[in-house]
Amino acid sequence: MIVQTVEIPEHFFLYCALLFNNNESVRYSKNTENLKSVVTTILERNKVEHISMPDHRYQYLLSVLNSNNYEPTEETKKSHDEILKYVKSISELPEMNKLWEKELKELALSLEFYGEPIETITKLFKTYFDFEPKTNHFYVTRNWDKSGMCIPAKNAFYIIASWNSPKPNIRNIIHEIIHAYIDEIELPVSENIKATINNLPEEVFSNYKKAHTVVYESLVRALVVYLSRKDKDIEDQKFSEDDIALQLPEKYLQKLEADSPNIISKEYLSNLTI
């Protein structure tokens, strides 16, 4: 597994478009609010028109990071062709390039602090998993809002760590890498799991929309806590309020701790149920 940091201008300019056009999926931190204010001033001064960007930010990131310098590819969404052109036009504005240069210095400085944590995380996965994802190259960068995501591209995964703290978000990176691992597995779904999902409040389930997504997301969250308790080099992690609201993460953790596997294999995960 190879994990390395990267600065991605396409990622930045996409977020500028999302912020300017009030995309509802953006999760604001104070940093994001400040960036939006600057971007809005610049784009309005340059008479850039607003457009509709109704999709989830993940979908736009998927298209931008799989494009070829904003040109569509087989991996980009056809309905995003005009969005790609729009983001490219923003990236070509001289004022926006100056803003990117300014933000890049701060981004590069923050990514310098990711070196040691990335070594620790790489060791964690080599120690506790006996397999790797088909695509085992991970690029890590910091996001422009407070959420974290893992974006699959043709030959790599892009881990977008949340922008909510000056410190590297180790938990976020581990979480996103685990997603790449368990996406290789067909997880079993027992009647107990189905019953739990059916009884989730609508406001919780609506964040994921599919039972399949709830299952994978729940196991990922359980594995983050489990691995942090197994490895002395990783800070002990606790469940967040969002984790607890999902109900399944706590049940998966109980099962993991009862089984106490030292090595996590495909076979183990393929038979892991609660």
Side-chain angles (χ1 to χ4, degrees), residues 105-123:
K105 289 177 183 176
E106 189 274 330
L107 174 61
L109 184 61
S110 68
L111 291 178
E112 285 181 11
F113 294 98
Y114 280 66
E116 187 175 334
I118 281 175
E119 288 181 14
T120 302
I121 290 166
T122 302
K123 182 184 171 205

Side-chain angles (χ1 to χ4, degrees), residues 90-248:
I90 287 175
S91 76
E92 292 171 343
L93 292 171
E95 275 195 273
M96 290 301 293
N97 268 285
K98 285 183 181 178
L99 179 62
W100 166 239
E101 289 171 10
K102 175 180 172 292
E103 295 293 334
L104 177 58
K105 289 177 183 176
E106 189 274 330
L107 174 61
L109 184 61
S110 68
L111 291 178
E112 285 181 11
F113 294 98
Y114 280 66
E116 187 175 334
I118 281 175
E119 288 181 14
T120 302
I121 290 166
T122 302
K123 182 184 171 205
L124 175 82
F125 281 90
K126 286 182 177 178
T127 301
Y128 293 102
F129 285 81
D130 72 349
F131 69 98
E132 290 190 348
K134 290 188 182 77
T135 303
N136 65 353
H137 200 146
F138 297 87
Y139 289 108
V140 176
T141 196
R142 196 209 61 209
N143 208 0
W144 302 98
D145 75 10
K146 70 176 185 179
S147 65
M149 287 169 280
C150 185
I151 311 296
K154 194 169 185 179
N155 298 309
F157 286 100
Y158 288 89
I159 296 174
I160 317 291
S162 65
W163 192 23
N164 204 29
S165 167
K167 295 180 180 178
N169 193 325
I170 295 175
R171 180 189 183 122
N172 197 184
I173 297 171
I174 293 173
H175 177 113
E176 300 302 346
I177 293 178
I178 291 175
H179 265 297
Y181 275 76
I182 71 166
D183 281 352
E184 301 281 333
I185 313 298
E186 186 69 36
L187 295 179
V189 181
S190 67
E191 291 303 315
N192 285 339
I193 291 173
K194 290 178 184 176
T196 300
I197 293 172
N198 288 338
N199 288 320
L200 287 175
E202 179 57 32
E203 63 270 19
V204 174
F205 182 78
S206 63
N207 289 326
Y208 304 97
K209 299 188 176 11
K210 295 180 181 178
H212 170 275
T213 308
V214 172
V215 172
Y216 279 74
E217 185 66 27
S218 296
L219 179 54
V220 166
R221 294 177 185 222
L223 282 166
V224 168
V225 175
Y226 178 73
L227 291 172
S228 77
R229 294 179 180 179
K230 294 282 285 184
D231 196 295
K232 61 180 176 55
D233 293 328
I234 302 292
E235 184 180 348
D236 193 18
Q237 300 294 324
K238 313 273 187 212
F239 282 132
S240 67
E241 289 183 8
D242 288 344
D243 297 339
I244 293 167
L246 269 175
Q247 299 181 33
L248 285 175

Side-chain angles (χ1 to χ4, degrees), residues 58-71:
Y58 177 91
Q59 297 299 326
Y60 293 120
L61 272 166
L62 200 58
S63 285
V64 165
L65 294 179
N66 280 284
S67 70
N68 182 12
N69 190 29
Y70 303 106
E71 291 298 319

